[in-house]
Amino acid sequence: MEPEKQTISELMNSCAQYFERESFSEARIGRYQTMWKTGIVRFMSERSILYYNAAVGEEYISTHIAGSIVTPLQRDFIRSVYVLSEFQAKGAVNKRRYHPLDRKLTGEIGGLMERFLLHLESLRRCRATVNGHRWYLYRFLVFIEGKHLFTVEVIREEHLLSFVSSVANTKICVVSSLRLFFGYLYDNRVIFHNPSEVLKHHRWGRKEKLPSVYTANEVLKIESSINRVDATGKRDYAMMLLATRLGLRASDIAHLSFENIIWESSTFTLSQFKTGKEIVLPLLADVGEALIDYLKYGRKRSESTRVFLYTRAPFTSMENAAVAGTLGRIVASSGVDTTGRKHGPHAMRHSLASRFLENRETIPVISEALGHRTTATTGSYLRIDLESLIQCALDVPDVTEEFYEQKGGVFYEGQV
């Protein structure tokens, strides 16, 4: 049977059977079935529509869910419809469905922005670059329309400066997009005055930042805050120990596979996701016990070769951002004061480096343990070893009166 020649009942039954195979809970399957029956099924019945397809689902959403504010219940109904469309098209359902915001560049200025973006594409700029410019120009468009400016001829230097000053982050990206856009308009004689010239010498200070670190006691408090009674807690505890005891990045935790764990020699052997460098790390006793506890009593049945899975069906392997977000939330809720400090897995990596420095480990040893490509990268961690820096400080010698009286003391007069 062709996918789009399925009745809604046939499609619902097939989708529910798929959920059962993927180990969705009965309660969750029942909730989907309830939403289908009270939502899309009723909609199709009222209009005498027999066969379901994605267009029918979109019509239901646009008819029944309108307005700029969507309630959590409405969001669930939207999800239930997208699930049917996705299953009909692919025979499977992704764990999450990401709907990028439709950043429409409207009006006269928006049309010129679209022309500029097409120009970038003709120059073979990659999609990520073009999408980045689209986002920054969209933000600028919203800003100037809020000031009732609808043509490029009325945009002045002060409008650009006001917008740039309102941007908290990514100033360099915003300035770059504005320069390129107005430069394009000027070169193509759409405008005869380039207001972005005011940004030609725009400068923004980059503050030196110290890595965020936590003391050994704080790290222990973070680890012990994890409740390990259920599958999620067992998984999170094992992931946290990989960050705190071995300094693994979130990407390496997410991509950790069974083949990376050499139980016979009690080691990890992996190629780092970020650098590609091969590293061998010891399988510490605490880390090994946490992994065994998770694998035996927490990890769901899955064909995935990766160690860490989501604990909600479908039980797919975790993504980098999910690992980072999970560990960050654990630190934030642990009771440890994170004021002025980052609290993601990278902070745990920095904290491990701090422990190495406190134990007077050499830079090459620390570099090898953290998997840095060069010792120059590891050298940046010296900034957090305050005790050693204090010991390196030289005493300032006393200045005698004779110093100020030399040559009659004329140069130093009034400066003592």
Side-chain angles (χ1 to χ4, degrees):
M1 180 183 296
E2 296 179 20
E4 294 196 0
K5 289 298 183 180
Q6 284 180 302
T7 65
I8 186 63
S9 297
E10 292 169 338
L11 180 59
M12 286 167 46
N13 290 335
S14 297
C15 193
Q17 291 171 8
Y18 166 79
F19 286 156
E20 290 176 359
R21 292 194 301 271
E22 292 296 317
S23 302
F24 280 60
S25 68
E26 291 184 9
R28 196 171 176 201
I29 297 173
R31 178 160 175 75
Y32 270 119
Q33 291 173 325
T34 299
M35 287 189 291
W36 290 332
K37 290 175 182 176
T38 58
I40 187 66
V41 171
R42 182 176 297 174
F43 170 79
M44 293 176 64
S45 176
E46 291 172 352
R47 287 162 174 74
S48 300
I49 301 174
L50 179 60
Y51 298 113
Y52 178 87
N53 57 47
V56 173
E58 292 292 346
E59 184 183 353
Y60 162 74
I61 292 172
S62 62
T63 303
H64 286 71
I65 303 173
S68 58
I69 299 177
V70 178
T71 67
L73 180 60
Q74 289 175 323
R75 190 159 47 244
D76 286 344
F77 273 97
I78 293 174
R79 167 68 178 169
S80 72
V81 171
Y82 283 137
V83 159
L84 286 177
S85 299
E86 189 170 8
F87 179 76
Q88 186 179 58
K90 302 178 181 178
V93 178
N94 291 333
K95 179 175 178 62
R96 292 181 180 86
R97 184 179 180 88
Y98 170 64
H99 297 282
L101 292 175
D102 187 11
R103 302 185 180 104
K104 293 183 178 179
L105 302 175
T106 57
E108 178 181 321
I109 299 175
L112 293 172
M113 289 177 174
E114 290 287 3
R115 279 177 52 186
F116 165 68
L117 295 174
L118 288 173
H119 168 69
L120 292 182
E121 291 178 1
S122 71
L123 297 178
R124 302 178 68 84
R125 299 294 186 266
C126 72
R127 179 177 298 180
T129 298
V130 175
N131 287 342
H133 287 304
R134 174 179 293 277
W135 167 233
Y136 301 125
L137 292 176
Y138 172 78
R139 290 167 64 182
F140 178 65
L141 181 63
V142 172
F143 176 83
I144 58 176
E145 286 183 345
K147 295 186 175 297
H148 305 289
L149 305 173
F150 301 104
T151 61
V152 289
E153 290 81 5
V154 298
I155 298 176
R156 298 289 179 263
E157 288 87 349
E158 57 267 26
H159 300 134
L160 271 66
L161 290 173
S162 178
F163 172 65
V164 171
S165 65
S166 69
V167 177
N169 299 308
T170 64
K171 282 189 189 297
I172 186 171
C173 300
V174 167
V175 169
S176 174
S177 294
L178 292 177
R179 284 175 177 172
L180 289 172
F181 173 59
F182 284 100
Y184 166 80
L185 297 181
Y186 181 76
D187 292 342
N188 287 273
R189 305 186 67 80
V190 177
I191 56 176
F192 298 96
H193 170 68
N194 185 355
S196 70
E197 284 292 318
V198 72
L199 302 175
K200 187 175 182 179
H201 301 292
H202 186 81
R203 295 290 182 269
W204 44 88
R206 182 176 180 179
K207 298 180 181 179
E208 190 68 21
K209 296 181 179 179
L210 289 174
S212 297
V213 296
Y214 292 80
T215 66
N217 288 335
E218 287 177 325
V219 170
L220 288 174
K221 184 176 180 180
I222 291 168
E223 293 171 353
S224 62
S225 71
I226 302 172
N227 187 349
R228 290 175 272 164
V229 298
D230 60 9
T232 301
K234 295 179 188 298
R235 180 202 65 186
D236 294 350
Y237 183 68
M239 293 197 305
M240 181 60 76
L241 290 193
L242 289 172
T244 58
R245 308 293 177 88
L246 297 177
L248 291 188
R249 299 181 180 91
S251 56
D252 293 325
I253 296 173
H255 287 81
L256 185 70
S257 298
F258 291 111
E259 65 182 15
N260 300 134
I261 308 174
I262 315 300
W263 296 102
E264 293 80 3
S265 58
S266 296
T267 58
F268 288 103
T269 303
L270 64 151
S271 176
Q272 293 183 112
F273 184 78
K274 179 180 179 181
T275 64
K277 181 178 178 180
E278 297 281 346
I279 59 172
V280 179
L281 297 172
L283 178 56
L284 304 176
D286 289 349
V287 178
E289 289 172 3
L291 281 170
I292 291 172
D293 186 39
Y294 165 63
L295 295 176
K296 290 182 66 175
Y297 306 111
R299 190 178 187 273
K300 304 299 182 181
R301 186 176 67 254
S302 172
E303 296 180 358
S304 174
T305 59
R306 292 190 187 175
V307 173
F308 297 108
L309 310 177
Y310 292 104
T311 53
R312 293 182 61 187
F315 305 114
T316 54
S317 54
M318 295 186 72
E319 300 169 357
N320 303 358
V323 172
T326 297
L327 299 187
R329 286 189 292 273
I330 291 171
V331 178
S333 61
S334 66
V336 172
D337 184 10
T338 61
T339 304
R341 294 183 290 183
K342 295 183 179 180
H343 51 273
H346 224 67
M348 300 300 103
R349 182 174 170 86
H350 294 153
S351 301
L352 180 64
S354 177
R355 300 291 83 72
F356 283 139
L357 291 170
E358 290 174 359
N359 294 331
R360 298 293 183 265
E361 296 289 354
T362 62
I363 292 298
V365 170
I366 300 174
S367 179
E368 189 64 27
L370 296 180
H372 289 156
R373 283 181 174 176
T374 66
T375 55
T377 303
T378 316
S380 64
Y381 288 102
L382 291 173
R383 295 175 295 168
I384 64 179
D385 189 10
L386 299 182
E387 283 296 324
S388 297
L389 291 175
I390 290 172
Q391 293 175 18
C392 293
L394 299 176
D395 293 332
V396 179
D398 294 331
V399 180
T400 64
E401 285 293 326
E402 289 77 11
F403 176 82
Y404 294 105
E405 292 174 356
Q406 60 183 322
K407 297 183 180 181
V410 175
F411 180 78
Y412 305 99
E413 185 176 347
Q415 297 188 34
V416 180

